[in-house]
Amino acid sequence: MATVLAAATARLRNILQLRFTDLFAQLPAHTLEGISPANPLRRLAKMAGYAGLRLVGNVFKPIRNPEQLRGALWLYVVSQNNYDALHFIREARPDSVLVAGQSKQIGRYNQKVNRLSLRRKLLYYWQFPLVLLGLLRAVGGRAWRFCDLIFSAIGYYEVYRRALRHYRPKAVVFANDHNDDARALLLACRVEGIPTVYLQHASVSTNFPSLEFDLSLLEGQDALDKYRQCGPVRGAVELVGMPKADAFLAHRNRKSNIQQVGLACNLLDDLAAIAQVVAYLQQELPDLSVTLRPHPSDNRDFTQLKRQHPQLRISDARGQTVFEFLAQHDALIAADTSTHLEATLLNLASIYFRMGSPASFDDYYGYVAHGLIDRADTLPELGNTLRAYQKYKPADLYLRATYYNATLGTPDEGRSKEVALRKLVDWLE
């Protein structure tokens, strides 16, 4: 029994490794609150709600998948962005199916993915007090601080091992390498002998887990260099460019100045700081049209901001892809988001401007350090940079992204889907 519990504790630490890092602990209070409440009673209430709505609720919720999962190529998704990143494989391969956990929220695609039953997850919660004790010894007080995240992660590994034995998929393709359920499935695949593939869907950082897949399809040299800093690289690696950008590269922004500006924010950004940027732009650069795009997972209310600035447009990130959004703009303002890379690929003028995020996240993806984008540290600097682009926007800004996109400037530019599919098929065969 002691050996079983020691293995379970080590496994949960692996699955939740990002949750126990200094970087995660330094997230803004409002961001952490949405992930794990600071108040212990609220954490316990969250755990009780999870137990009642998810664990018990799943028991009484039947699973009726429209597609055959047995022997198929699984495309495992944990978000709307994951779905967008992997759907091209589904379109190209009739033997593939999109799969998610039973109650996982996939945005507008909730009804379009097959579900893996989590009914039996409830059976493994006897482990919780003992695993929590083991993690308290291993990582200290952070285990108690994030005990709700430990609670929700328990059982994924065991349930997914059972599902793999039942369905025996040909392989599992991931677009996420750090969410708890995705990591649990990755570990389960390894034990059950199911091949695994990772298709990068967004920029990565040196804080990510090490690459542990049998085949990793990365966008470019930047991602590989960063993963090498994360730890040993397991399996084969191929650089395939950015498949989700293919359809848009032929429609790069050709304007020689800027008129439409996108302002992208995420949960790291402070609402008051976002409001300051909007107010500054509306007052100092009234001839620019500004659209705010919150992250798809950002549930904060921007109604008041819209009321204060009627000319401000707000993009629905759940109904509009990031490339559809960028195609309507000439410039982007944002802090730490991979949208900078996507904007540069479309030849937008992209500017890094922090909006209240912690200093530890400064230039998180290294875009400024590698010369991909401009930087403004104050609102006047931001204004001056925008005014310069109002006068002239170069036509070759997109070439800055060569380090990040392996197909850029090659005969395969705009054909990353074909490259990725070819590498995947060769590997599967």
Side-chain angles (χ1 to χ4, degrees):
M1 178 61 74
T3 302
V4 171
L5 288 172
T9 300
R11 188 163 52 244
L12 261 296
R13 185 177 183 181
N14 182 313
I15 290 170
L16 292 166
Q17 58 181 284
L18 280 184
R19 307 301 194 184
F20 300 134
T21 62
D22 292 341
L23 187 76
F24 185 76
Q26 293 166 5
L27 285 171
H30 70 269
T31 304
L32 265 183
E33 190 67 20
I35 302 171
S36 174
N39 186 298
L41 293 179
R42 291 192 63 190
R43 284 202 298 277
L44 292 173
K46 179 185 171 186
M47 291 159 61
Y50 180 88
L53 296 176
R54 287 287 187 91
L55 297 180
V56 177
N58 285 343
V59 172
F60 298 99
K61 185 177 180 181
I63 299 291
R64 297 187 180 92
N65 287 317
E67 297 176 292
Q68 175 58 254
L69 272 60
R70 192 181 302 275
L73 177 65
W74 286 9
L75 311 176
Y76 187 77
V77 297
V78 301
S79 69
Q80 181 175 295
N81 287 342
N82 278 198
Y83 184 103
D84 288 333
L86 296 182
H87 189 255
F88 78 95
I89 301 176
R90 177 69 186 92
E91 292 178 329
R93 292 189 62 99
D95 63 338
S96 64
V97 292
L98 286 148
V99 177
Q102 184 168 349
S103 301
K104 196 73 173 182
Q105 294 301 305
I106 315 296
R108 65 178 181 270
Y109 304 123
N110 263 340
Q111 307 304 318
K112 297 184 178 182
V113 297
N114 300 279
R115 300 291 180 168
L116 296 178
S117 174
L118 296 175
R119 291 180 175 185
R120 293 177 179 270
K121 197 170 183 285
L122 188 61
L123 300 177
Y124 300 96
Y125 273 80
W126 61 269
Q127 301 175 1
F128 176 66
L130 299 172
V131 167
L132 178 60
L133 181 61
L135 287 172
L136 282 168
R137 292 169 178 164
V139 300
R142 285 180 183 171
W144 170 243
R145 171 62 186 85
F146 301 119
C147 63
D148 52 331
L149 304 182
I150 298 170
F151 185 82
S152 63
I154 284 177
Y156 275 125
Y157 169 79
E158 292 86 352
V159 170
Y160 280 165
R161 281 195 65 182
R162 181 182 178 87
L164 292 172
R165 289 195 297 269
H166 178 72
Y167 291 113
R168 299 304 301 179
K170 182 179 300 182
V172 179
V173 182
F174 298 79
N176 180 289
D177 66 342
H178 53 271
N179 273 35
D180 54 359
D181 55 330
R183 289 199 61 76
L185 180 56
L186 171 62
L187 297 180
C189 285
R190 188 176 303 162
V191 173
E192 295 299 332
I194 303 297
T196 57
V197 182
Y198 171 58
L199 178 71
Q200 179 190 348
H201 88 281
S203 291
V204 302
S205 83
T206 54
N207 295 288
F208 277 31
S210 58
L211 276 184
E212 301 175 16
F213 302 86
D214 297 309
L215 171 67
S216 295
L217 303 175
L218 303 182
E219 293 176 355
Q221 191 63 42
D222 168 75
L224 180 55
D225 289 346
K226 286 175 179 173
Y227 272 121
R228 283 172 172 162
Q229 295 180 60
C230 295
V233 174
R234 180 179 183 270
V237 175
E238 299 285 353
L239 305 183
V240 300
M242 188 185 292
K244 65 182 180 181
D246 282 352
F248 298 90
L249 294 185
H251 306 286
R252 285 198 178 98
N253 189 295
R254 309 293 182 185
K255 293 182 182 179
S256 58
N257 58 22
I258 65 170
Q259 298 170 330
Q260 311 288 332
V261 177
L263 175 61
C265 65
N266 58 37
L267 292 173
L268 290 176
D269 299 320
D270 180 68
L271 193 55
I274 297 169
Q276 287 180 350
V277 175
V278 172
Y280 178 85
L281 295 176
Q282 298 281 297
Q283 180 177 341
E284 300 295 328
L285 296 153
D287 49 338
L288 290 178
S289 176
V290 180
T291 305
L292 175 67
R293 180 182 172 86
H295 189 274
S297 63
D298 192 339
N299 295 315
R300 289 178 293 182
D301 187 1
F302 292 91
T303 305
Q304 182 62 27
L305 187 60
K306 173 66 174 175
R307 189 177 296 118
Q308 292 172 347
H309 305 282
Q311 293 181 319
L312 176 69
R313 294 181 296 177
I314 298 182
S315 167
D316 177 12
R318 296 183 179 91
Q320 183 185 48
T321 70
V322 67
F323 282 106
E324 290 169 344
F325 165 74
L326 292 172
Q328 300 172 356
H329 296 84
D330 311 311
L332 176 76
I333 301 167
D336 296 287
T337 169
S338 58
T339 308
H340 281 301
L341 174 57
E342 295 149 355
T344 304
L345 285 170
L346 296 190
N347 210 61
L348 274 70
S350 204
I351 306 166
Y352 180 82
F353 186 81
R354 293 179 59 218
M355 293 175 281
S357 59
S360 55
F361 285 86
D362 189 84
D363 195 21
Y364 182 68
Y365 294 111
Y367 292 151
V368 175
H370 284 99
L372 179 76
I373 57 176
D374 299 308
R375 176 175 188 141
D377 289 319
T378 66
L379 287 172
E381 284 183 25
L382 177 63
N384 290 336
T385 304
L386 289 170
R387 290 186 187 95
Y389 279 121
Q390 279 185 295
K391 295 178 180 178
Y392 177 66
K393 180 175 73 69
D396 60 354
L397 291 172
Y398 72 94
L399 292 176
R400 297 178 178 182
T402 304
Y403 176 55
Y404 296 85
N405 188 322
T407 60
L408 203 62
T410 76
D412 285 324
E413 181 176 324
R415 297 186 176 87
S416 289
K417 289 181 180 178
E418 298 172 27
V419 176
L421 284 167
R422 185 168 64 247
K423 299 293 186 182
L424 176 61
V425 170
D426 290 347
W427 179 79
L428 287 172
E429 294 177 351

